[in-house]
């Protein structure tokens, strides 16, 4: 594979979920699009469940908030901590994949990595 280019068939395509705890819109996903778009995202909204979280178009995702967690887990919902990004644990619970990758909503791609991926050096 040439200089950091993404393989034609993504690695672990059918075996990997990406879990993202968030309190904000997910515009940061645009810079991760070349890496994350082939995968299923499990987004767990922290904080106020009435707030609408926007996800850029073109991603395959499920979005959960505290109301969903309460509905799904019932009296055991309190085991999922909120306001400390530990809500990602719910994403681990609902994933059906063999592997889970997690990332915070304030992690950014290195500019050098983006350049190498798009220039495709040999």
């Amino acid at each position: 594979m040439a200089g950091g280019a993404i393989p034609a068939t993504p690695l672990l395509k059918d075996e990997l979920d990406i879990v993202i705890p968030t309190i904000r819109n997910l515009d940061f996903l645009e810079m991760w699009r070349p890496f994350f778009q082939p995968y299923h995202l499990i987004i767990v909204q922290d904080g106020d469940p009435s707030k609408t979280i926007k996800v850029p178009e073109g991603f395959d995702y499920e979005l959960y908030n505290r109301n969903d967690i309460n509905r799904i887990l019932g009296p055991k919902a309190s085991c999922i901590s909120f306001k400390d990004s530990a809500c990602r644990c719910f994403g681990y619970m609902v994933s059906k994949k063999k592997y889970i990758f997690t990332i915070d909503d304030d992690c950014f791609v290195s500019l050098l990595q983006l350049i190498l991926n798009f220039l495709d050096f040999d």
Side-chain angles (χ1 to χ4, degrees), residues 18 21 23 41 49 51 53 65 75 78 82-83 92 100 104 122:
I18 299 173
I23 58 170
L41 309 179
K51 180 181 175 191
I53 298 291
N65 64 32
S78 63
F82 269 73
K83 302 200 184 218
Y92 301 158
I100 298 171
D104 288 338
D122 283 324

Side-chain angles (χ1 to χ4, degrees), residues 78-96:
S78 63
C79 73
I80 303 298
S81 174
F82 269 73
K83 302 200 184 218
D84 59 7
S85 81
C87 64
R88 79 179 75 235
C89 296
F90 183 77
Y92 301 158
M93 290 177 59
V94 298
S95 175
K96 295 173 181 67

Side-chain angles (χ1 to χ4, degrees), residues 10-83:
L11 297 173
L12 304 172
K13 167 74 172 96
D14 298 320
E15 298 180 84
L16 176 74
D17 276 335
I18 299 173
V19 173
I20 306 169
T22 190
I23 58 170
R24 57 184 61 90
N25 289 331
L26 296 175
D27 299 330
F28 90 110
L29 284 174
E30 285 301 339
M31 70 177 63
W32 287 101
R33 186 177 293 278
F35 307 100
F36 290 175
Q37 191 163 9
Y39 300 99
H40 179 71
L41 309 179
I42 298 174
I43 301 164
V44 185
Q45 179 180 344
D46 203 352
D48 181 2
S50 67
K51 180 181 175 191
T52 301
I53 298 291
K54 295 180 183 165
V55 180
E57 289 192 31
F59 286 96
D60 172 35
Y61 70 93
E62 298 169 71
L63 174 62
Y64 297 95
N65 64 32
R66 180 46 105 181
N67 294 336
D68 299 314
I69 293 169
N70 290 339
R71 179 179 44 79
I72 292 166
L73 296 181
K76 296 183 181 185
S78 63
C79 73
I80 303 298
S81 174
F82 269 73
K83 302 200 184 218

